[in-house]
Amino acid sequence: MDDLGDASSWAVFAADGRVARELTAALAEQLRRDERFAARVEDLAHRALWRRRLVPRRDVLLGLGLAVVGGATGAVFAPFGEPRAQENVKQAEEEKARVKGVLVAKVERQVRVDDAFGWAFADPLSDAQVQDLLKVEGGPELGPLTSGARPVHIASNSFGEPYNFTRTRMTVVNHWPKPVLITDVKAKVKRTAPLSGALVWAGAQGGVPVIDLTFDLEEDEPRARTANADGSLGDPWTYGENVELEPGQTQPFNVVGRATTSCCEWYLEIHAEVGGEQQVFEARDANGPLVTTAFADRYRQRFSYQINGGTWVERGEGGMFR
């Protein structure tokens, strides 16, 4: 036979009805799918017994089925049962992955002691909240304000063009039964004016700020970018080193989103190739959207932390401390 994987060639042997069409179709299909199977059949097919036509070809065909799968029962059921069983297992594994989530992403906010930081509030603090804040002693903490006033943590760079940022760690786990290729990560952003009710600013507590892979949240379509030594953004991260996750593998990412003029609520989108198809997965913080706010031009209240005394001091209305 010129082409052992050609179904039309195998059909010739079933034309007189004495060799089951199912058997010829199954053998042809198995030849197309399994290179080792095809090699064994080709070896048998080119033996002298075949070439010299010492037995009818239909009998040789039946012999091929018997020789390859190891018996008459196997010859009938192996081409059908085994692929079906494998397909059922594959479908069960994929369904289990869909229930758990094909890609599961966890986002956690991170704070480093070397960041210059503070908190912004949408509304001014009440008299009672101000008194509670001014009573705090020790480290630059907000005390009881964290439970009711919804502060937004600010981290700010201390060199070059000013920008504020939110530092996070994103961890992605692949539950798909095959490798998944992450091809892109994007930030989805809702922008408003910077929060200007109150500023509670601790400043830098020491150390040198470190700039990680960042998103400019004020771009039309924020993409992950590399960062230069002076804090400026470089070229978009093109994912030339595509991140391929093996089944069960966990991969952490350092993610920084920053803003210069807006208050941004945002989350991440992970673009990945799953089974040859592009899919998009969302990564969100368990406590709600990530919020990154730029400094407002003017605040109705301001407070600053005095390192020497370990207390907060009321500074009145005005702009960011310079």
Side-chain angles (χ1 to χ4, degrees), residues 220-233:
D220 289 341
E221 294 186 6
R223 301 282 296 274
R225 291 180 175 272
T226 58
N228 300 318
D230 63 357
S232 62
L233 290 180

Side-chain angles (χ1 to χ4, degrees), residues 26 30 37 65 68-86:
Q30 192 75 356
F37 182 95
V68 172
V69 300
T73 302
V76 173
F77 289 101
F80 290 100
E82 184 176 345
R84 282 180 185 168
Q86 293 175 349

Side-chain angles (χ1 to χ4, degrees), residues 16-30:
D16 60 4
R18 285 179 290 176
V19 176
R21 291 179 180 273
E22 291 82 359
L23 177 58
T24 58
L27 287 170
E29 178 65 19
Q30 192 75 356

Side-chain angles (χ1 to χ4, degrees), residues 29-319:
E29 178 65 19
Q30 192 75 356
L31 284 168
R32 284 193 292 270
R33 291 187 176 184
D34 192 330
E35 292 182 2
R36 293 182 63 187
F37 182 95
R40 295 174 68 183
V41 170
E42 186 175 10
D43 179 61
L44 289 171
H46 287 85
R47 290 182 183 181
L49 180 65
W50 177 282
R51 291 198 299 269
R52 295 173 185 175
R53 303 170 183 262
L54 297 181
V55 296
R57 289 195 176 190
R58 63 177 179 275
D59 294 339
V60 175
L61 179 60
L62 290 172
L64 289 176
L66 293 171
V68 172
V69 300
T73 302
V76 173
F77 289 101
F80 290 100
E82 184 176 345
R84 282 180 185 168
Q86 293 175 349
E87 185 65 23
N88 290 340
V89 171
K90 175 185 175 182
Q91 291 177 358
E93 290 177 342
E94 292 180 355
E95 182 60 29
K96 182 178 179 180
R98 291 188 184 96
V99 172
K100 295 175 68 175
V102 175
L103 285 187
V104 175
K106 180 181 180 181
V107 176
E108 297 176 293
R109 294 175 174 88
Q110 291 188 316
V111 177
R112 290 213 295 242
V113 295
D114 55 3
D115 291 333
F117 74 98
W119 295 269
F121 296 81
D123 300 307
L125 304 181
S126 67
D127 291 343
Q129 288 173 324
V130 171
Q131 294 303 314
D132 287 339
L133 177 65
L134 298 181
K135 291 177 183 178
V136 173
E137 296 182 356
E141 302 291 340
L142 290 181
L145 293 185
T146 56
S147 61
R150 300 188 64 185
V152 172
H153 186 273
I154 296 175
S156 182
N157 74 316
S158 60
F159 55 87
E161 181 182 354
Y163 61 84
N164 299 346
F165 58 89
T166 298
R167 195 187 304 280
T168 71
R169 168 64 62 88
M170 178 177 70
T171 304
V172 182
V173 180
N174 174 25
H175 290 147
W176 195 248
K178 294 182 179 180
V180 168
L181 184 66
I182 295 176
T183 59
D184 206 351
V185 178
K186 299 181 180 180
K188 308 301 290 184
V189 184
K190 172 186 175 182
R191 302 181 187 91
T192 57
L195 305 183
S196 59
L199 177 66
V200 180
W201 187 244
Q205 304 301 299
V208 179
V210 177
I211 305 301
D212 298 320
L213 189 66
T214 61
F215 288 90
D216 181 349
L217 300 176
E218 291 162 340
E219 290 183 334
D220 289 341
E221 294 186 6
R223 301 282 296 274
R225 291 180 175 272
T226 58
N228 300 318
D230 63 357
S232 62
L233 290 180
D235 295 330
W237 186 34
T238 57
Y239 299 84
E241 306 162 348
N242 288 313
V243 180
E244 185 171 69
L245 304 184
E246 294 296 329
Q249 181 180 349
T250 297
Q251 175 64 52
F253 292 82
N254 287 322
V255 179
V256 174
R258 71 191 206 185
T260 59
T261 62
S262 307
C263 177
C264 301
E265 293 185 5
W266 56 287
Y267 63 93
L268 295 168
E269 278 189 351
I270 303 170
H271 294 242
E273 185 178 304
V274 181
E277 297 181 356
Q278 283 291 327
Q279 296 189 31
V280 179
F281 304 88
E282 294 183 357
R284 298 175 180 266
D285 184 82
N287 296 320
L290 298 165
V291 181
T292 304
T293 183
F295 290 119
D297 293 333
R298 194 169 189 83
Y299 294 91
R300 286 171 281 177
Q301 290 178 330
R302 295 182 306 162
F303 304 85
S304 64
Y305 181 73
Q306 301 297 307
I307 296 178
N308 293 336
T311 59
W312 293 102
V313 177
E314 190 168 7
R315 299 283 293 274
E317 187 176 351

